[in-house]
Amino acid sequence: MDFFSSPDLWVAFLTLFALELVLGIDNVVFISILTSRLPKSQQQRARIIGLALALLLRIGLLAVASWIVGLTSPIFSIGDAKALEFSGRDLILLAGGLFLVYKAVTEIHDKIEGAGEAHLATGVTSTMGKVIVQILLIDAVFSLDSVITAVGMVDQLSIMIAAVVLSIGLMMVLAGRISDFVNAHPTVKMLALSFLVLIGSTLIAEGFDVHLSKAAIYGPIAFAIGVESLNLLYRKKHEAGRTM
């Protein structure tokens, strides 16, 4: 009953839900790109499994929130520079950021060189197991970032879990549409891959204790999405004019 009578808890819940939704969209875009290597009949199943794993990971990590907070304590350092003091969280963010940049750059290379299309043409695609392992790795990184954000904002486990469940539930509903849209528009997919390079670079910076404002990251992303939306509208209108 405290939740319904407390404006502060409502604000905390809605803010956390919005942040979880943003992280969830990042996750869905990455999952969509990975699952595009699978046969069409397996893609939806892989997306649902990937998001379900993300949900279970985040709830599990929320249940051991005190351990998560402890991951911020330095484990070792290289020299005297503070940026070279590494905690468990730093190491996970560094590994996740490097993996995200590697996968995004590899996908961009394949798109430019045509290797991805060549693989599909010859019937060479990823296996479900390989895709799920990669999804699990990146889920762990996004989940850690998500849980640390949640722990820093709210001290009630029920509210944190509710925000996570609701945001990922919404992503499960929208995952197919987001994936189909990204895969149907090559320029959008290239833009999404560029965003993943940016987000991966941000995670690497965070691993070196260089903290970047979320607004400084998502502001340019929102602007780029706006420009690409105008391009899509222009192309659609131009194509419609040629068919008349």
Side-chain angles (χ1 to χ4, degrees):
M1 293 298 292
D2 290 340
F3 176 75
F4 295 101
S5 61
S6 174
D8 291 341
L9 290 180
W10 270 103
V11 170
F13 170 78
L14 293 174
T15 304
L16 183 56
F17 170 69
L19 289 173
E20 293 292 336
L21 202 58
V22 170
L23 291 172
I25 291 174
D26 292 341
N27 213 352
V28 167
V29 170
F30 185 78
I31 290 172
S32 298
I33 291 168
L34 285 179
T35 55
S36 66
R37 296 276 183 160
L38 291 171
K40 190 72 174 177
S41 60
Q42 296 181 7
Q43 291 180 12
Q44 175 66 10
R45 181 185 171 199
R47 286 194 294 266
I48 296 299
I49 291 174
L51 288 170
L53 288 172
L55 177 60
L56 292 174
L57 267 174
R58 292 183 192 188
I59 292 176
L61 291 175
L62 284 171
V64 289
S66 59
W67 176 73
I68 294 297
V69 172
L71 285 176
T72 58
S73 300
I75 298 175
F76 67 92
S77 62
I78 302 174
D80 298 326
K82 184 173 177 57
L84 296 179
E85 290 182 353
F86 297 100
S87 65
R89 173 179 178 268
D90 293 335
L91 295 176
I92 292 173
L93 291 179
L94 279 170
L98 288 169
F99 175 69
L100 197 58
V101 170
Y102 167 76
K103 286 300 297 182
V105 170
T106 301
E107 287 288 336
I108 290 172
H109 178 268
D110 286 351
K111 286 295 176 187
I112 293 174
E113 298 296 328
E117 285 73 10
H119 289 166
L120 291 175
T122 57
V124 179
T125 56
S126 292
T127 63
M128 174 72 80
K130 184 178 179 181
V131 168
I132 293 300
V133 168
Q134 293 181 76
I135 290 174
L136 186 58
L137 288 173
I138 205 61
D139 274 349
V141 177
F142 280 116
S143 294
L144 182 69
D145 200 23
S146 166
V147 168
I148 289 175
T149 299
V151 171
M153 291 183 57
V154 184
D155 57 3
Q156 293 194 20
L157 181 62
S158 59
I159 291 179
M160 290 189 284
I161 290 178
V164 167
V165 170
L166 187 59
S167 62
I168 293 186
L170 185 57
M171 286 299 98
M172 284 183 174
V173 173
L174 298 176
R177 295 179 184 178
I178 293 174
S179 180
D180 291 344
F181 181 79
V182 169
N183 291 324
H185 298 85
T187 56
V188 172
K189 188 167 187 176
M190 193 64 71
L191 189 63
L193 288 168
S194 300
F195 291 161
L196 291 177
V197 173
L198 175 60
I199 293 167
S201 300
T202 302
L203 292 176
I204 294 171
E206 290 278 347
F208 284 106
D209 206 30
V210 178
H211 303 292
L212 303 174
S213 167
K214 295 294 184 185
I217 301 166
Y218 289 106
I221 287 178
F223 178 77
I225 290 173
V227 172
E228 182 60 24
S229 298
L230 292 175
N231 284 330
L232 290 173
L233 288 172
Y234 172 78
R235 284 198 295 268
K236 184 177 180 180
K237 184 176 180 181
H238 185 66
E239 289 171 3
R242 287 193 304 177
T243 57
M244 290 180 63

